[in-house]
Amino acid sequence: MRLFIVPFAPNVLRVQIFAAEQGVVLEFIDISTDHTAYHTINPLRQVPSLELDDKRILTESLTICQYLDEASGAPSLFGNNADERLQIAMWERRGEAGLFNPGVEYGHQVHPMFAGRMKQFPDFAATLLPKAEQTLTVFADQLDHMPYVTGDRLTVADITSFLGYVWFVAYGGMVPSTRLSIRSWSERMIARDSMTNLRQLMAYFKMPPLN
Ligand SMILES: N[C@@H](CCC(=O)N[C@@H](CS)C(=O)NCC(=O)O)C(=O)O
């Protein structure tokens, strides 16, 4: 299977981490230098897109993760029974709405790397912070009682939420949390084999340690 990517793009990282966690090997097609024909793969021109072996195309990072989850045959990172599935879906949505999407948007509005591509509104970016801080506190409270967001093992909820937190710190919207639970979670997340690309990204942004 081939994954069309722009290296280090947030939704790409999410799928790369997920695939590595589930032991799925993908071929990566980097479209950052030549994306002239990419609209034939994804009319929205967004990455990632997954091309299946039979040439069908799947887009939307979370949908791609769901496909890889089933294809892997490994224990599901979306939950192995109804109760797990509900808990993981709830925390994934909280992480996506409260950390991942606003973290990415924050960067779009403030970081110099996007300045030439869009009109930026730093005042708008600042409005994203209170809700994100509140969300991180809710995650910290949850992580006071368990090593990962929904229990003893990593799930898609951890991947989405942790990436959101990392983006906020990378773009300077948040400083590393002083909460022990967030620091311990960060240490566990960063140490995982699946996080190679994320560790490179954190070095690129010269991020302060999160643990
Ligand atoms: N809902 C999509 C969002 C994909 C997305 O926004 N990708 C970004 C990179 S992380 C992108 O391609 N941005 C360029 C654009 O929107 O034109 C998903 O989850 O995959």
Side-chain angles (χ1 to χ4, degrees), residues 6 8-15 31 38 42 44-49 59-64 96 100-101 104 108 114 117-118 167:
V6 168
F8 303 121
N11 286 288
V12 168
L13 267 177
R14 168 154 62 169
V15 171
I31 63 152
Y38 186 61
N42 182 348
L44 288 174
R45 300 168 196 258
Q46 293 175 327
V47 286
S49 297
T59 68
E60 298 301 324
S61 52
L62 203 60
T63 310
I64 294 172
E96 174 141 18
F100 187 93
N101 288 340
V104 173
H108 288 162
F114 299 106
R117 296 192 226 163
M118 60 184 70
W167 284 113

